[in-house]
Amino acid sequence: MAARMTSTSTAGIYSPATALVLLLPLIALFCGAFLYPVGRLLAMAVFDPDFTVRHLAKAVESPLYVNVFLRTARIAAAVTLAAFALGYPVALLMSRLSGRAALFVTACVLVPLWTSVLVRSYAWIVLLQTNGLVNGLLRWLGLTEGPLKLLYTEATVLVAMTHVLLPYMILPIYGALRAIPADYERAARNLGAGAVTSFITVTLPLSLPGIFAGCLIVFILSLGFYITPALVGGPETLMAATLISQQATELLDWPFASALSLLLLAGTLVVVVVFRRFLSLSKGL
Amino acid sequence: MRLSASHAVIAAFVLAAATAAPARAEETVVVAATGGAYEQSLRKSFFDDFTNATGIRVQVVTASAQEQITKLKAMNQVGAVTWDIAVLGDIEAHSNDVRAMTEDMGTFCQAFAERKDLLKGACDSSGAQLNSGLTYIVWDGDKLPNGGPTTWSELWDVKRFPGARTFPNFNDPWRVMAAALVADGVAPSDLFPLDIDRALRKLDALKPHINLWWKTGDASQQGYRAGEYVAGMVWQTRASVLLKEGRNLKFSLKEGVLVSDRATVVKGGPNKANALKLLNFIENSVDGMARHCTNLGCTPPSTAAMEKMSPEDQANMPIKPEIYASLIIPDFEWINANRPLMLDRWNTWLQK
Amino acid sequence: MNSVSMLNDVAGAGVAVESIRKSYGTVVTAVDDVSLKVKPGEFVSILGPSGSGKTTLLMMIAGFERPTSGRLIIGDQDMTYTRPEKRGLGMVFQRYALFPHMSVADNIAYPLKRRGVSRAEIRQRVEAALKLISLDGLGTRMPTALSGGQQQRVAVARALVSQPPVMLMDEPLSALDKKLRDQMQLEIMRLHRTVGVTIIYVTHDQEEALSLSDRIVVMNRGRIEQVGTPDELYDEPASAFVADFIGRTSFLAATCLAVEGSNARMRVNDATEVIVPVSRCRDIVVGARVRIAVRPEALKLAVVGSAQLSGTLEGSRFVGSSELAFVRIANGELLQVQTEPGVSRKLQAGSPVGIMFDASRVSVFREGA
Ligand SMILES: Nc1ncnc2c1ncn2[C@@H]1O[C@H](COP(=O)(O)OP(=O)(O)OP(=O)(O)O)[C@@H](O)[C@H]1O
Ligand SMILES: [Mg+2]
């Protein structure tokens, strides 16, 4: 994608064998610390100890679990959309700024990333609680009489998750935008396109790889989001990760927890594949 | 970030357990317990004295009760147990899952059979009780100046006691169901087996008034400070923190849910002998028990310990016979057997 | 040629740059008080070393940079602050800037779509343009599937298809190899002749500028050093910089001894005296230190003693139809001397040689000017 345009490749400098040797530690770490435990965990879903689809069937048949998965997907999609709508303009701004201003905006995007999710979620509690800042402001402005119920709702979960995940949307889009040579937009302007037209016909399509990457990351992270919904969500905002953790840590029903994880993982993979397909189509390959 | 919480947690457990090197020069004993004030109190009330008396260092691993069980299970699966003692809720300590991973403490308890001061069940095959605490009714004395709800049925009465309610929602719904049943007229002694349908029907009526479903003790405290509720069900330990802050919080011991914490020896731990020494030390340390419960606002498992506490503290303990008779006492066996069912029904109800 | 006829009915427009200046902050002045008049249909190259402000000047003409001061008139309109898309200029970028997500045909159709040309006409004109650049049939290819030369031609077609009166090109050939570059130069010249568009062409390659342009603008440090036809620049450079920058030049340090009628007497090398026509000198005063710029073809090897200068042969180089001899003279200066093929290479390096020079073909500049 972006690399194709700048085309600075080190391919050919290192032989495949050298590259493999250099990669070995990473491969070992990946297999030992990720593939093996996850594989074992997922195997639990279908071997108990012999092959069985009992646990999977339980997950698929119960309306509770189906509903939770559907809600999780819906919230993840909504968060992705919101993060895109808010994040793209910021990424665009970042890619156009230089010097101090660029540093400032980049810091504004990155600093929250270095702050714990817990802290950022608590910040929303402080803002939105019954006697919180937002309610106080609304009352002071005379817009509301009694306090509004802003916390512990699905809308709050959306707002807080979007906030927490926003950098993951901004950074890939920013990267894609930065990789677009300024000449493309100049060429478009020169050829008669106004600022808006040149953005729509040139900049936006060329930033698609970044958009897809950002959306994919945010969507996948949302699917497994745990802390924020638990803190700012109401009891009805039960999401897949919470459900899995209940099964794993409360009920110690690991096979069933694995079955749920397997379904979540499968759903995630489907999304990845669909996104990739979308991406390759958009590149016209 | 958590792609999937359980993946990450379990992968980490397996790894941590498999790689932890059991290399120790001095005598130690490893205790897993929830951190924070609880860990501090254990240290000041028991562990420091124990180390002074025996020279055995007490190393505390911080983990919530649920994390402890999950980690224990993971450590058992890879055959590398690194803890000696786990401090768990009474109900969990009695579950089959946990019993399979902990020593039978029956023999250990025989040494204390003659102790008249120890409450019934203070020491049993699932371990030694450290403290008991209530989950009870509290209300805001400022918002309900003429008295608040003192029983569950009064808590349900939103006409007499108007205002937002709070209840716990930490994946352990039996307390709320039990309270609902008592509010609906079931005698505390006849609660088990819980009539889940009836409990949820009773809860339907109150649901619109429940503003805060707290998941952590902190959330219940913070919710009170922020005025998120006027009355509801919270932990006694958290209420006493609010009281110490000087807040006008009122509480009712009546019909409280009594649950204790139990320390037990883990099977296959590296320092089993030291673990038994530590539990033995605790059972004999009536002073320590008194200090521990003075710190935390809990009830010690020994009447002798209770007598060493201040009159105010004693007044806050559910030991008067008429109060004690009204308490909701968990049926470990039924709760452990019906956890998945309860959680399923609970989740479904919450999302209605 | 039908395909060309549809492009050549547009007349090139004149471009007038009036005292334009462009500063970045307070330190950098990229273009410093530049004035330039380009006639309709003219091919003007802007030539200069790296960092001399060529691109900046072109960007201001195209509308991508705002001049700090000065005026820009295209055709008969003041366009100093007109938005780029309203200027109607064609532009070819150094790296072509073909839209990588559009096919070749879509790239060429882009400016037509922006102008609301009908679909049928777009198809027709794109086809004609493809034929013009001899890429018929490749319209559905993506730009990345084309060779550098082909991409280059597509970029030219895209810039020309909307029949702009002026076309701007910023080093359009610098990414091509030598052979392809020569071939593309011919194509650009052909296009310029057939289409009649005014071309402003930025390059730092003097040969390219010399062979393509009607006139050349030599820039140095943001300023114009000289504007003239290739012949003027070569034969009558206005400054030592131009003399040095264009063609091969050797410099001789000298002192002006006297001006006698239409001749100036100079002492070169603290010994030899030479007579140079005053017409070849720029603001010379008697007694001044000067530099004499000499082209290799104005110098001849001669027998030592009978020659004006003497020195040592350091080496020689074959340059196609002739040879260049490198001769170090006594004061340490190195002169390039053109000889017949085979002449200088017969001599051994280190041999003493004499040099004659044709005083009517040198240029003399004040030292430090
Ligand atoms: N955006 C900018 N900010 C500051 N200085 C700049 C900027 N753009 C150009 N300059 C400076 O202005 C001067 C002229 O730059 P310009 O790009 O016009 O040179 P050029 O003649 O095109 O050089 P080249 O042959 O290397 O392309 C240079 O010193 C450059 O560093
Ligand atoms: Mg340039």
Side-chain angles (χ1 to χ4, degrees):
Chain A
M1 34 184 133
R4 206 184 49 180
M5 295 170 203
T6 49
S7 81
T8 41
S9 167
T10 49
I13 298 179
Y14 304 110
S15 75
T18 322
L20 191 68
V21 169
L22 290 173
L23 272 175
L24 268 182
L26 185 65
I27 293 173
L29 184 73
F30 185 73
C31 291
F34 183 75
L35 275 189
Y36 174 72
V38 170
R40 248 185 84 159
L41 181 86
L42 294 180
M44 250 189 275
V46 286
F47 293 101
D48 189 17
D50 296 317
F51 181 79
T52 172
V53 292
R54 187 157 46 94
H55 304 295
L56 287 171
K58 182 174 154 200
V60 182
E61 279 160 9
S62 153
L64 169 65
Y65 302 118
V66 174
N67 281 339
V68 169
F69 272 94
L70 287 180
R71 171 182 307 109
T72 307
R74 198 185 66 228
I75 289 181
V79 167
T80 308
L81 266 181
F84 170 68
L86 294 174
Y88 197 97
V90 178
L92 194 63
L93 182 71
M94 272 169 73
S95 72
R96 296 295 153 97
L97 291 177
S98 59
R100 255 171 219 277
L103 208 64
F104 177 74
V105 177
T106 311
C108 286
V109 172
L110 285 180
V111 166
L113 203 56
W114 298 328
T115 320
S116 119
V117 180
L118 208 61
V119 172
R120 280 182 285 166
S121 304
Y122 264 116
W124 281 106
I125 296 183
V126 172
L127 279 177
L128 297 178
Q129 64 196 11
T130 308
N131 294 325
L133 283 175
V134 173
N135 264 319
L137 188 70
L138 288 176
R139 226 163 333 162
W140 183 75
L141 291 172
L143 293 174
T144 54
E145 301 221 330
L148 296 179
K149 183 173 168 64
L150 301 171
L151 206 52
Y152 311 125
T153 64
E154 190 168 315
T156 323
V157 174
L158 286 185
V159 171
M161 278 176 71
T162 305
H163 167 239
V164 167
L165 292 172
L166 202 52
Y168 297 93
M169 180 65 82
I170 293 176
L171 293 177
I173 295 179
Y174 168 72
L177 285 170
R178 277 307 290 261
I180 303 174
D183 274 355
Y184 288 147
E185 204 177 309
R186 288 199 187 124
R189 296 295 296 273
N190 175 259
L191 294 168
V196 175
T197 313
S198 90
F199 172 75
I200 292 173
T201 54
V202 176
T203 311
L204 188 65
L206 289 179
S207 64
L208 275 181
I211 295 176
F212 282 129
C215 287
L216 191 62
I217 296 172
V218 169
F219 187 79
I220 290 177
L221 288 177
S222 301
L223 281 183
F225 228 60
Y226 183 77
I227 300 168
T228 306
L231 285 177
V232 304
E236 69 284 350
T237 340
L238 184 60
M239 287 181 67
T242 313
L243 199 64
I244 293 172
S245 94
Q246 278 183 352
Q247 296 295 330
T249 65
E250 290 293 327
L251 304 179
L252 294 181
D253 190 349
W254 288 10
F256 187 52
S258 315
L260 292 174
S261 308
L262 189 63
L263 289 176
L264 187 60
L265 188 65
T268 309
L269 287 178
V270 167
V271 171
V272 172
V273 169
V274 169
F275 263 73
R276 283 196 59 113
R277 176 124 198 96
F278 217 7
L279 183 59
S280 59
L281 284 181
S282 81
K283 284 199 301 187
L285 296 177
Chain B
M1 205 62 37
R2 309 173 86 133
L3 186 59
S4 151
S6 60
H7 287 180
V9 166
I10 291 165
F13 292 169
V14 172
L15 223 94
T19 52
R24 279 178 210 88
E26 55 180 329
E27 287 282 292
T28 57
V29 55
V30 183
V31 180
T34 48
Y38 193 79
E39 178 193 331
Q40 285 302 315
S41 178
L42 285 180
R43 277 190 187 287
K44 291 202 184 105
S45 312
F46 304 114
F47 299 167
D48 291 348
D49 289 348
F50 175 69
T51 304
N52 286 339
T54 62
I56 300 170
R57 201 165 60 85
V58 182
Q59 192 190 330
V60 180
V61 177
T62 306
S64 76
Q66 287 316 324
E67 283 167 358
Q68 286 182 40
I69 298 173
T70 316
K71 285 187 191 177
L72 265 184
K73 192 167 171 180
M75 291 194 293
N76 266 284
Q77 284 206 342
V78 297
V81 179
T82 56
W83 301 344
D84 301 303
I85 291 177
V87 179
L88 300 170
D90 225 351
I91 304 172
E92 290 84 1
H94 283 87
S95 71
N96 291 337
D97 277 315
V98 171
R99 286 306 309 272
M101 302 184 289
T102 52
E103 299 284 353
D104 189 326
M105 301 292 285
T107 335
F108 169 83
C109 287
Q110 277 168 15
F112 311 104
E114 300 302 309
R115 284 269 296 276
K116 292 282 178 300
D117 62 311
L118 290 180
L119 299 182
K120 183 169 150 274
C123 190
D124 73 11
S125 50
S126 287
Q129 265 183 9
L130 295 179
N131 49 268
S132 318
L134 289 176
T135 311
Y136 61 16
I137 299 169
V138 298
W139 68 91
D140 186 332
D142 294 335
K143 299 217 176 95
L144 296 174
N146 304 319
T150 56
T151 65
W152 298 115
S153 95
E154 285 176 354
L155 184 67
W156 252 253
D157 189 343
V158 288
K159 289 217 175 60
R160 239 179 98 198
F161 305 104
R165 299 291 195 258
T166 191
F167 278 92
N169 176 30
F170 52 90
N171 307 331
D172 193 15
W174 73 269
R175 293 166 213 247
V176 183
M177 292 185 186
L181 288 170
V182 172
D184 206 32
V186 179
S189 49
D190 300 338
L191 275 172
F192 292 93
L194 292 180
D195 183 343
I196 298 176
D197 289 323
R198 184 172 167 187
L200 295 179
R201 267 200 309 279
K202 183 71 181 172
L203 275 162
D204 279 338
L206 197 58
K207 198 179 185 186
H209 304 277
I210 303 174
N211 187 46
L212 174 66
W213 287 98
W214 54 270
K215 287 198 172 65
T216 62
D218 270 334
S220 69
Q221 284 170 236
Q222 191 49 38
Y224 183 83
R225 295 188 193 111
E228 300 280 354
Y229 59 87
V230 171
M233 183 188 214
V234 304
W235 284 329
Q236 185 180 23
T237 47
R238 299 305 177 143
S240 52
V241 174
L242 290 168
L243 285 168
K244 275 181 200 154
E245 286 173 11
R247 293 178 193 271
N248 189 14
L249 178 90
K250 306 287 179 197
F251 60 87
S252 163
L253 298 176
K254 228 185 286 171
E255 298 179 358
V257 183
L258 187 70
V259 179
S260 29
D261 289 324
R262 211 173 265 279
T264 185
V265 176
V266 172
K267 266 188 195 157
N271 312 292
K272 185 179 166 190
N274 291 346
L276 289 171
K277 272 187 215 160
L278 175 57
L279 291 190
N280 189 56
F281 180 88
I282 290 174
E283 280 302 90
N284 287 318
S285 172
V286 174
D287 283 333
M289 288 178 188
R291 277 205 302 276
H292 181 55
C293 275
T294 303
N295 292 337
L296 297 179
C298 58
T299 306
S302 149
T303 50
M306 291 177 202
E307 280 155 18
K308 289 185 184 281
M309 293 168 65
S310 71
E312 303 85 59
D313 283 336
Q314 290 190 40
N316 290 344
M317 289 188 290
I319 45 175
K320 284 191 200 133
E322 68 274 17
I323 297 285
Y324 196 83
S326 76
L327 295 184
I328 298 172
I329 311 285
D331 176 338
F332 308 140
E333 205 174 319
W334 188 89
I335 292 173
N336 281 321
N338 290 283
R339 257 175 195 284
L341 176 72
M342 273 195 294
L343 199 54
D344 257 30
R345 297 292 314 275
W346 179 250
N347 281 336
T348 312
W349 178 79
L350 276 178
Q351 304 192 40
K352 262 203 313 204
Chain C
M1 263 195 351
N2 185 28
S3 52
V4 171
S5 69
M6 59 166 300
L7 291 174
N8 73 355
D9 51 359
V10 63
V15 175
V17 173
E18 297 176 1
S19 306
I20 273 197
R21 183 190 303 273
K22 175 73 190 177
S23 311
Y24 294 104
T26 49
V27 196
V28 185
T29 301
V31 171
D32 193 357
D33 195 19
V34 163
S35 294
L36 173 68
K37 266 201 161 62
V38 179
K39 293 191 273 289
E42 199 179 13
F43 192 127
V44 169
S45 291
I46 301 175
L47 178 65
S50 188
S52 56
K54 308 182 295 289
T55 299
T56 308
L57 179 57
L58 203 70
M59 288 294 161
M60 286 191 286
I61 298 174
F64 302 131
E65 297 281 3
R66 271 172 88 90
T68 309
S69 63
R71 278 207 323 161
L72 170 74
I73 291 153
I74 299 172
D76 48 12
Q77 270 180 294
D78 185 333
M79 293 210 176
T80 319
Y81 301 113
T82 307
R83 277 180 282 151
E85 65 269 24
K86 303 283 184 211
R87 298 192 182 202
L89 308 176
M91 179 149 185
V92 177
F93 293 83
Q94 186 166 0
R95 302 201 175 278
Y96 321 136
L98 294 178
F99 304 132
H101 58 300
M102 295 181 196
S103 69
V104 167
D106 285 342
N107 263 283
I108 298 176
Y110 191 88
L112 300 177
K113 279 187 194 148
R114 302 286 84 77
R115 286 164 174 78
V117 177
S118 75
R119 269 163 175 265
E121 194 186 334
I122 288 180
R123 211 180 36 235
Q124 198 188 331
R125 281 170 73 172
V126 167
E127 239 153 64
L130 282 170
K131 199 170 281 168
L132 182 68
I133 56 170
S134 339
L135 287 181
D136 356 15
L138 295 189
T140 55
R141 288 252 190 111
M142 296 308 277
T144 41
L146 297 182
S147 72
Q150 289 172 327
Q151 290 184 35
Q152 212 322 294
R153 279 183 287 186
V154 174
V156 172
R158 185 177 69 174
L160 280 177
V161 72
S162 59
Q163 303 172 325
V166 178
M167 182 143 94
L168 310 175
M169 305 175 104
D170 189 0
E171 311 209 16
L173 305 183
S174 62
L176 303 179
D177 63 39
K178 174 94 178 80
K179 214 168 153 197
L180 204 50
R181 203 153 62 214
D182 291 345
Q183 187 189 329
M184 289 304 302
Q185 282 178 12
L186 288 175
E187 285 203 36
I188 288 172
M189 280 163 79
R190 178 174 67 90
L191 275 173
H192 177 237
R193 271 200 313 276
T194 46
V195 178
V197 62
T198 307
I199 295 185
I200 301 178
Y201 189 102
V202 163
T203 180
H204 63 250
D205 179 342
Q206 45 139 331
E207 280 178 38
E208 195 168 284
L210 289 172
S211 58
L212 287 176
S213 331
D214 296 324
R215 283 193 301 155
I216 298 174
V217 178
V218 180
M219 287 189 71
N220 183 30
R221 293 201 223 135
R223 293 178 161 277
I224 292 183
E225 288 273 342
Q226 187 173 6
V227 182
T229 63
D231 288 343
E232 283 165 4
L233 292 185
Y234 193 83
D235 294 332
E236 289 160 45
S239 63
F241 174 83
V242 176
D244 192 24
F245 195 69
I246 296 195
R248 291 179 195 282
T249 307
S250 311
F251 284 98
L252 285 165
T255 313
C256 183
L257 297 177
V259 177
E260 296 153 355
S262 61
N263 285 327
R265 197 149 51 80
M266 321 231 162
R267 187 164 60 222
V268 182
N269 206 6
D270 293 333
T272 323
E273 282 187 15
V274 294
I275 306 295
V276 178
V278 170
S279 62
R280 306 300 307 174
C281 302
R282 300 230 164 214
D283 50 26
I284 297 301
V285 289
V286 174
R289 303 278 306 155
V290 299
R291 299 174 76 200
I292 305 177
V294 214
R295 303 289 186 193
E297 58 270 26
L299 294 175
K300 254 196 338 236
L301 288 188
V303 183
V304 190
S306 69
Q308 285 156 303
L309 295 165
S310 59
T312 320
L313 183 70
E314 291 218 330
S316 63
R317 199 163 96 199
F318 182 61
V319 288
S321 55
S322 61
E323 266 174 23
L324 271 185
F326 296 86
V327 181
R328 180 82 60 192
I329 58 173
N331 67 353
E333 283 165 332
L334 189 68
L335 301 186
Q336 301 179 33
V337 183
Q338 185 175 315
T339 71
E340 294 290 307
V343 173
S344 58
R345 280 192 296 167
K346 273 201 306 246
L347 298 170
Q348 284 232 310
S351 0
V353 289
I355 296 174
M356 299 289 289
F357 74 86
D358 180 352
S360 66
R361 292 167 69 188
V362 303
S363 303
V364 182
F365 307 101
R366 278 271 288 281
E367 185 83 64

